[in-house]
Each structure stands twice: as structure tokens, then as C-alpha cells.
Amino acid sequence: NDVYDTCSAILTELGESIPEFYTLSESSEMIVETIKMYENAGEEWLKSDATVDKTLRNTLQLYRAITFASFFCKSHSMVVYFSSKAVQLSLSRGICEHTPLSLLQFTAVAIKDDNAMMCYRIAKNALSLRERFDLATQIPELYMNFYGRVAWRFEPFQAGVHKLRQCLDAGLSSGRSDIGLFCGLNEIKYALCSGANLKSLLKRIDYYLHLMETYRSEATKNNVLIIRETVSSLIDNGQATSIEASACVGDLNDPKNKLREAFFHHSAIRCFWLGHNGRCRYYGKKMYRFILARRASHILCC
């Protein structure tokens, strides 16, 4: 919240508009508008001369920070708003070293079934800008958004696992433990989906939990504990592999609870493999409602 409040105050001083609330329909409209602006600019825009506008570069940096901060403390619609604003600013005022991450943050939250190919193209083009700008310090964030949010729809899970593991190490060594540990979370999610050895995966999860304890990353830790329970259940139903620590999932009826989707998703997986068909159906229906809600919010603007 401190990061969000600081960025919000500075952006307001720079003349940027920071809404108190943004609706699902408004955010869906903004996604369509931003993609249309990108298409109109054409990919020649990516080859244009880099801007020397220092105000724009500083503003994009602030949007980069507030987009990441709002993921943890604001609604999904607000994350869409900030990421879209950054891309629209760059499209209208010029390209710089902060444009690639702005594009990737946008595609990470904007991607849907019906725009997935376009978002993937935008994301790939953003990564190609590494050849123009020195983006070494941004690699953890760039890869987190590309491999953690976009590429899994089109590229093998195993490729994402490898890149995200690199990003965890890079994030920790560069002082960005928040980004690094978030990459670690996505790595184990995709490792599980890719059919990784469960016992090896469990060891890696426990190593990550140790890191999260060290860096006091409670939000990421709760997600990892949910996945750990699934892996433990698949190995031996938790008989010898369970631990005392469990995720603090909060109020599962609260639509702002960012853990409830992961909770119901993994509860359905565990029940399916353990043969609890009735409970699997119950958790599956809960997940289906979330999917319908997301689709409805997108359809509103189409």
C-alpha cells in the first residue's frame, strides 16, 4: 500500500488521473481501446526513434511500479487501468526503455481467449526490444510477465519453468526479491502442469517457502502453501509429506480475496485425484462461476 500511495501521489502531481474505482466494463473497454491504438500505430512504431522526453520516461516508471503494487492491494480492473494508461502514453508520446515492460504488463492482464494471439504478438514484440535497449535490470519483470502470464498459452510449460527459475535467481541477486519470489510461484505452478517429478518439486517448494519466510513474502507464501498441499496429496495423500503450516486463505466469500480462486482450483484437483467426486464437483462449480464472471466482464464491451 505504501508503494501504491506514493506512486499515486506523484502521478497526480504530474497531471495523471488516478480513479478511486474502476468497473469491470470500463476496464474491458480500455483493453479494447488500447489494443486498437496499438494496431493503428502499426509495428513500425516499434522501430521509431527513442524519445528523449524525461517526463514520459519517469511517468512510465511510476506506472510500472503502481501496476505491480495494485495487483496486491487493488481490484483487477485497477491493474488493467494502470497498465493500459502506460501503453497508451507510450503509443502517443514515444518509445523508450520502459516501453517493453509497459507492453508486457498490459498483455499479462489483458489477455483473453479471443485476443490471446494479438496479446502474444504484442508481448513477443516487446521482448524483441531487448536488442535496442539495455534491459538487463528489467529481465526478472519482463520474463515474469511474458513466461508467467502470456507464453504458457502458446509455448511448452517446460520452457517457462526454465526461464522463471532463472528469473527467481536474478530477482534475488538484484535486490528484487518480490519479483523473484513471484517468478518462483509461477515456476512451481507450471512445473506441476508440465508433469515434473512430484518429490523433486516438493523439495523445491520447501526451499521456496524457506526463502519466503526469510524475505517475509506472506502473499506469495500463501499461494505456494496451497500448491504444496496439492503436491503432498498427490504423492501420499499427505501421510508423510504434509507440514503444519497451512495457507491463510481468508474470507472465501469476499470477491476481493485474491486467494480464493487458487484455493478452489487446487481443492478441485486434490478431490479429483483422491476420488472425492462430489467435493470435486462442488469446487469445480465454484471455479466455473469465476470463469463465467471474467468472461461476462469482457463481453460487456464487445
Side-chain angles (χ1 to χ4, degrees):
N1 283 349
D2 290 343
V3 174
Y4 180 90
D5 292 341
T6 300
C7 291
S8 177
I10 299 173
L11 283 167
T12 301
E13 288 182 10
L14 290 170
E16 295 296 312
S17 175
I18 308 295
E20 288 294 323
F21 180 75
Y22 213 60
T23 66
L24 286 171
S25 59
E26 287 174 324
S27 66
S28 295
E29 290 169 2
M30 200 166 190
I31 288 172
V32 173
E33 177 188 341
T34 305
I35 291 177
K36 190 172 293 184
M37 283 181 66
Y38 181 91
E39 289 178 316
N40 290 339
E43 294 184 4
E44 286 301 314
W45 167 74
L46 293 167
K47 301 174 185 177
S48 62
D49 293 337
T51 182
V52 294
D53 185 343
K54 289 185 179 180
T55 301
L56 172 63
R57 291 158 70 184
N58 291 334
T59 304
L60 289 182
Q61 276 192 294
L62 288 164
Y63 270 120
R64 161 191 173 186
I66 201 171
T67 298
F68 185 69
S70 61
F71 178 83
F72 296 99
C73 65
K74 296 293 179 179
S75 67
H76 178 76
S77 298
M78 289 295 287
V79 183
V80 170
Y81 173 81
F82 292 125
S83 61
S84 299
K85 281 285 289 184
V87 172
Q88 290 183 9
L89 271 175
S90 195
L91 283 166
S92 60
R93 291 172 55 183
I95 193 171
C96 69
E97 69 272 23
H98 304 299
T99 298
L101 185 53
S102 296
L103 291 168
L104 283 164
Q105 285 184 322
F106 169 72
T107 55
V109 296
I111 193 166
K112 301 273 195 298
D113 290 345
D114 60 353
N115 69 9
M117 184 58 72
M118 183 62 189
C119 284
Y120 181 60
R121 197 177 93 200
I122 294 172
K124 289 281 282 185
N125 287 338
L127 277 186
S128 72
L129 291 173
R130 288 174 299 174
E131 299 169 7
R132 288 189 57 188
F133 301 104
D134 180 10
L135 304 178
T137 59
Q138 297 183 39
I139 288 297
E141 284 181 273
L142 293 169
Y143 281 10
M144 178 189 74
N145 284 285
F146 182 74
Y147 291 103
R149 296 292 184 182
V150 178
W152 65 268
R153 291 173 178 260
F154 301 96
E155 300 182 12
F157 281 124
Q158 291 86 343
V161 168
H162 177 68
K163 292 292 186 182
L164 289 165
R165 185 172 297 181
Q166 290 180 339
C167 290
L168 179 137
D169 296 334
L172 295 181
S173 62
S174 65
R176 293 303 309 272
S177 61
D178 53 346
I179 300 295
L181 293 173
F182 204 69
C183 288
L185 166 63
N186 282 288
E187 179 211 327
I188 61 174
K189 282 166 56 178
Y190 299 142
L192 178 60
C193 293
S194 70
N197 180 279
L198 293 178
K199 291 184 177 179
S200 297
L201 180 57
L202 191 66
K203 289 180 181 178
R204 190 145 189 92
I205 289 173
D206 287 340
Y207 169 63
Y208 285 174
L209 286 172
H210 168 72
L211 290 177
M212 289 163 191
E213 192 72 33
T214 302
Y215 290 100
R216 298 180 182 179
S217 180
E218 288 300 317
T220 310
K221 179 182 174 183
N222 281 320
N223 274 289
V224 173
L225 283 169
I226 290 172
I227 299 172
R228 191 197 188 284
E229 186 177 349
T230 298
V231 174
S232 174
S233 297
L234 294 176
I235 292 174
D236 62 0
N237 199 12
Q239 293 180 10
T241 57
S242 62
I243 57 176
E244 289 186 12
S246 60
C248 299
V249 296
D251 183 1
L252 294 173
N253 294 314
D254 181 3
K256 294 181 181 179
N257 184 348
K258 296 183 182 295
L259 285 173
R260 67 176 188 161
E261 190 165 334
F263 173 81
F264 288 125
H265 173 68
H266 281 275
S267 295
I269 291 174
R270 291 193 290 269
C271 290
F272 176 81
W273 288 109
L274 295 175
H276 304 312
N277 297 333
R279 276 182 277 173
C280 177
R281 190 177 301 110
Y282 169 79
Y283 290 125
K285 285 181 178 179
K286 288 282 190 181
M287 274 300 305
Y288 186 60
R289 287 174 192 159
F290 296 144
I291 294 170
L292 287 179
R294 283 202 300 270
R295 287 180 177 172
S297 70
H298 183 56
I299 290 169
L300 284 172
C301 72
C302 297

